Amino acid sequence: MKIELLDDYNYTLYLNNLYIKDLNLDNKEDIENYLKKLFLIIKDRYDIDISGMFEIDIYVNNKYGIVIDIFKEDLEYLDYFSNQIDMQVNIIKDSIFLYELDSFIEKDLYKYNHKYYIDVEDIDDPIIYEQGNLIFGEYVIEVLKYGKKVNV
């Protein structure tokens, strides 16, 4: 599990398939209970107050796992939510994940904005995971739409 703290209100969690093997993504109650456990981990590790209203996007990729984007609402009535967690969860199944690389490798890639991108479905060498950054969501759509396909 990797947690990226973007600011006081935004977090991104990267969970590979090992972390979610028992999670039923079709059961809303299971998902909410799992997210509450993750919030406790974030609170303990980073000493961050986790309470209030959250909008959560879960991107699901069968090969990689899931990426969870957490956006804490900055609302004036948050005192109502003190010591409580309320969440709006959106699940985006069959998401395409790309790895962003700085240099060319001998694989089918996309080239966009002076970077190279490989679909996680095409990764067969674990070294690639150490060389790049995982890309998901709207930026993937932009890369696929405007990037140039480089076939090897």
Side-chain angles (χ1 to χ4, degrees), residues 114-128:
H114 308 290
K115 300 269 187 180
Y116 295 95
Y117 299 87
I118 184 171
D119 191 320
V120 295
E121 301 293 329
D122 297 333
I123 297 175
D124 54 9
D125 185 356
I127 297 279
I128 293 173

Side-chain angles (χ1 to χ4, degrees), residues 81-120:
F81 290 112
S82 65
N83 298 325
Q84 293 183 9
I85 297 173
D86 192 23
M87 56 185 95
Q88 170 66 41
V89 178
N90 305 308
I91 299 175
I92 301 96
K93 292 188 175 181
D94 301 321
S95 295
I96 299 171
F97 290 177
L98 301 176
Y99 257 85
E100 179 184 76
L101 305 168
D102 290 326
S103 58
F104 182 81
I105 60 171
E106 295 289 324
K107 295 282 185 186
D108 290 343
L109 303 170
Y110 292 91
K111 184 175 182 183
Y112 182 67
N113 284 343
H114 308 290
K115 300 269 187 180
Y116 295 95
Y117 299 87
I118 184 171
D119 191 320
V120 295

Side-chain angles (χ1 to χ4, degrees), residues 26-90:
D26 294 320
N27 184 319
K28 185 176 180 170
E29 188 175 322
D30 278 359
I31 294 168
E32 288 181 358
N33 288 332
Y34 188 79
L35 289 170
K36 287 177 183 178
K37 290 177 188 175
L38 286 175
F39 283 162
L40 289 175
I41 291 170
I42 294 170
K43 180 179 180 177
D44 290 342
R45 284 192 188 166
Y46 298 98
D47 195 31
I48 296 173
D49 177 37
I50 302 291
S51 62
M53 177 67 178
F54 294 88
E55 184 173 326
I56 300 169
D57 293 330
I58 301 175
Y59 297 89
V60 181
N61 178 279
N62 291 331
K63 182 170 182 181
Y64 178 85
I66 62 175
V67 173
I68 304 172
D69 255 352
I70 302 170
F71 306 98
K72 183 176 182 179
E73 298 288 335
D74 185 24
L75 304 172
E76 290 184 20
Y77 64 89
L78 280 181
D79 288 339
Y80 174 76
F81 290 112
S82 65
N83 298 325
Q84 293 183 9
I85 297 173
D86 192 23
M87 56 185 95
Q88 170 66 41
V89 178
N90 305 308

